Amino acid sequence: MTTWSSICVDLFDIRDAPETRGSKAVTGTDPTVDKGPCRVFYCEYATSFHKGRTKGVIVTRTRFAALGALALAGALALTGCSAGSNAASDGGTKSIGTPDGTGKTITVWMMNGDLSDKVLDAAGKQFTADTGAKVKIQTQQWDGITTKLTTALAQSDAPDVVDLGNTQVPVYAAAGGLTDLTPYRDELKDGQTWLTGLEGPATVDGKLYGAPLFAGNRAVVYDKKVWKDAGVTDVPTTYDELTADLDKVKAANPASDFSAFYMPGQYWYGGLQWVWDAGGEIATDKGGKWTGTLDSADAVKGLTAWKDFQNAYSAKSTQDINTDKPSQSDVFAQGNTSAFLGSAWEIGSITTAKPELADRIGTFPMPSSTAGKTQPVFLGGSDLGIPAKAENQELALYYLKILTSKEFQQDQVFGVDGWEPNSTELLDAVAGDVDELHKPYFEAAGTSRPTPATPGWATIEGDASFQSMFADVATGRKSPEQAAEGFSKHLTTALNAQP
């Protein structure tokens, strides 16, 4: 039986990301943490998107942890945690209700930099007013959180609610560390369509183990002046318009080290958008058996389209590198590209390095090859889970209900902290309050795709095989068909591995 000995989570490749609060820029430090077999990076952003507020206020959150999967599974199994062992797993639909928590206190582990004190205070006040119970927030640091959380989930005094990175949920769910929320899914969703990129990874073997809290994603960042100088004045709304515009930019900037559109060859988060846009999928699950499907006809079509785009508009020197060395924002700030596919926090990086570029920056969602649509995106974000051994299960459920509710998402998660809310309906509802620079991120988020909801996915995120596959395609070391065939076999093995 195949096993996997380590898990690394690499949601966003990031080094030295600047953190900006208001007009005060604080340069971050390299978040690399060496822990055992891997180094892990997980960054998310939030922005103040509201009209009338300072534009481009970027809050960069860096999450990092290293995890031994065998240690995780063993720690939980030895203390009696196993999948389906919690009380909510007996099927059917249940009501959360309003539990009486008089004299009780729930403990909530919230990751540093996720929800602000103001938002958490609002949640606590509503929770106490409704239930009589109090909330004790314990802010956790990302450094060492995996070991700390693994230990906590195995103890009888586990916290009542935990804040998890969306693609981390399958690891803890498969090991039996989280309560099955499936009986309460309809009530938690309250008629909303949760973002696929948040709900998908939290749904393991058809059961829900995490309630979506917020999201972040990517859009095209471009230099309006460079495009105007090349004769491009309108934002492209179709893929053909985009490539035609980039042809003009490329012709006006013929230097060999200039990228009309900077697309590093190892940038798999970007490349996946072409795969999804062509109708391909990373993998499929049938009866608990995962099969890598990057070698399907649709996926190969997407890989080929991405290769054509990368080779045509990104400098040859970018074919075998990732987004961190050099960073995309540095390449843009130095004038070596007119556009890239990036997160909103990278706009802050650019304006910190060169404030004079602030008025030249524009954004738009990456157009789809299908007219009238945008490419599907990978979402980073957070889900809320309830440890299977949490003492106050009913109160914890009510707390989740508050934070994921339509009103709280719109008024607090978005309204105060600026995060993308957890449903497509709410993305539409807040669209009028998002400034023009950041509106494309919200538009793109509505078409997200999930990563495989299995603990083995963390192996793929951590072993750099995705980066290698895309680089093989970009450089021509392998044809899209050859690269996809080998990688799909690796996917099948990794996704079905048993901890």
Side-chain angles (χ1 to χ4, degrees):
M1 180 179 294
T2 303
T3 61
W4 39 295
S5 61
S6 64
I7 294 176
C8 303
V9 180
D10 182 359
L11 293 185
F12 291 107
D13 290 314
I14 172 178
R15 311 291 188 277
D16 300 316
E19 181 171 317
T20 307
R21 295 180 182 275
S23 60
K24 180 180 179 182
V26 181
T27 300
T29 57
D30 190 331
T32 302
V33 177
D34 288 295
K35 297 278 187 180
C38 60
R39 295 182 302 177
V40 183
F41 308 90
Y42 174 15
C43 172
E44 290 175 2
Y45 69 85
T47 63
S48 292
F49 299 110
H50 307 74
K51 290 181 178 178
R53 296 187 183 183
T54 302
K55 294 185 178 182
V57 180
I58 309 299
V59 181
T60 300
R61 280 94 181 221
T62 304
R63 305 176 176 193
F64 41 90
L67 168 65
L70 292 176
L72 166 61
L76 295 176
L78 287 173
T79 52
C81 289
S82 60
S85 64
N86 56 73
S89 298
D90 54 1
T93 300
K94 297 182 179 180
S95 174
I96 295 174
T98 305
D100 181 2
T102 304
K104 296 182 178 180
T105 299
I106 66 167
T107 299
V108 176
W109 279 19
M110 189 63 58
M111 299 312 302
N112 183 40
D114 274 6
L115 298 183
S116 66
D117 290 343
K118 183 176 182 180
V119 169
L120 291 172
D121 286 346
K125 289 178 181 178
Q126 182 178 343
F127 179 79
T128 300
D130 292 348
T131 68
K134 296 180 180 179
V135 180
K136 182 179 181 181
I137 300 292
Q138 294 183 341
T139 302
Q140 305 298 317
Q141 304 302 317
W142 284 101
D143 187 6
I145 185 56
T146 304
T147 299
K148 187 173 182 179
L149 183 56
T150 300
T151 301
L153 292 178
Q155 304 300 317
S156 59
D157 59 348
D160 298 295
V161 177
V162 291
D163 173 13
L164 301 166
N166 57 325
T167 64
Q168 295 174 326
V169 175
V171 177
Y172 298 107
L178 298 175
T179 291
D180 178 7
L181 304 177
T182 308
Y184 311 99
R185 176 161 42 199
D186 290 346
E187 186 172 351
L188 289 170
K189 295 180 78 168
D190 191 20
Q192 299 289 288
T193 305
W194 279 342
L195 300 181
T196 305
L198 294 181
E199 183 182 11
T203 306
V204 182
D205 294 332
K207 296 180 179 181
L208 181 71
Y209 290 94
L213 183 60
F214 62 75
N217 57 281
R218 297 168 178 82
V220 178
V221 179
Y222 76 107
D223 189 324
K224 293 184 288 186
K225 182 180 185 302
V226 174
W227 283 36
K228 183 178 180 180
D229 291 345
V232 180
T233 56
D234 296 325
V235 174
T237 57
T238 69
Y239 192 77
D240 287 343
E241 287 178 356
L242 172 62
T243 55
D245 290 344
L246 292 175
D247 285 338
K248 294 178 182 179
V249 173
K250 183 177 179 180
N253 299 271
S256 62
D257 62 345
F258 181 86
S259 297
F261 196 110
Y262 188 72
M263 176 64 67
Q266 295 182 24
Y267 192 16
W268 66 276
Y269 298 114
L272 272 178
Q273 295 191 189
W274 273 258
V275 172
W276 286 326
D277 191 51
E281 296 292 344
I282 298 172
T284 58
D285 174 26
K286 292 184 179 180
K289 170 70 174 180
W290 286 91
T291 303
T293 56
L294 261 293
D295 56 348
S296 71
D298 287 340
V300 170
K301 179 182 177 181
L303 283 173
T304 302
W306 174 80
K307 172 184 170 66
D308 292 343
F309 185 91
Q310 200 280 338
N311 285 183
Y313 303 116
S314 198
K316 187 176 179 63
S317 60
T318 69
Q319 292 179 359
D320 203 11
I321 64 174
N322 212 328
T323 58
D324 57 332
K325 295 178 181 178
S327 69
Q328 297 190 118
S329 56
D330 284 348
V331 174
F332 187 95
Q334 292 164 7
N336 291 323
T337 187
S338 76
F340 66 95
L341 185 66
S343 301
W345 63 263
E346 292 175 281
I347 298 172
S349 299
I350 295 166
T351 56
T352 297
K354 283 198 173 180
E356 63 269 25
L357 294 179
D359 293 336
R360 290 169 49 173
I361 296 174
T363 58
F364 58 88
M366 178 64 78
S368 167
S369 58
T370 301
K373 295 185 178 182
T374 61
Q375 285 187 349
V377 297
F378 173 92
L379 288 186
S382 282
D383 291 329
L384 294 177
I386 300 175
K389 291 196 171 187
E391 179 181 359
N392 300 297
Q393 295 278 328
E394 292 182 352
L395 289 169
L397 279 165
Y398 195 81
Y399 189 78
L400 261 63
K401 183 177 179 179
I402 290 175
L403 268 69
T404 58
S405 69
K406 289 181 285 188
E407 295 78 9
F408 195 85
Q409 284 280 311
Q410 184 165 351
D411 296 343
Q412 299 293 331
V413 175
F414 166 77
V416 174
D417 281 357
W419 289 107
E420 291 171 4
N422 62 7
S423 74
T424 57
E425 291 85 359
L426 285 170
L427 287 175
D428 292 339
V430 304
D433 295 321
V434 182
D435 69 48
E436 291 302 315
L437 190 63
H438 298 98
K439 189 172 291 185
Y441 290 92
F442 281 61
E443 182 179 347
T447 312
S448 63
R449 291 288 185 272
T451 53
T454 172
W457 173 248
T459 297
I460 299 300
E461 286 190 319
D463 67 6
S465 56
F466 238 143
Q467 291 93 315
S468 296
M469 187 207 71
F470 274 97
D472 284 343
V473 173
T475 60
R477 288 192 294 259
K478 295 180 181 179
S479 68
E481 293 85 356
Q482 291 171 331
E485 181 180 4
F487 183 69
S488 291
K489 291 179 181 178
H490 175 54
L491 268 172
T492 299
T493 299
L495 297 182
N496 291 293
Q498 299 298 314

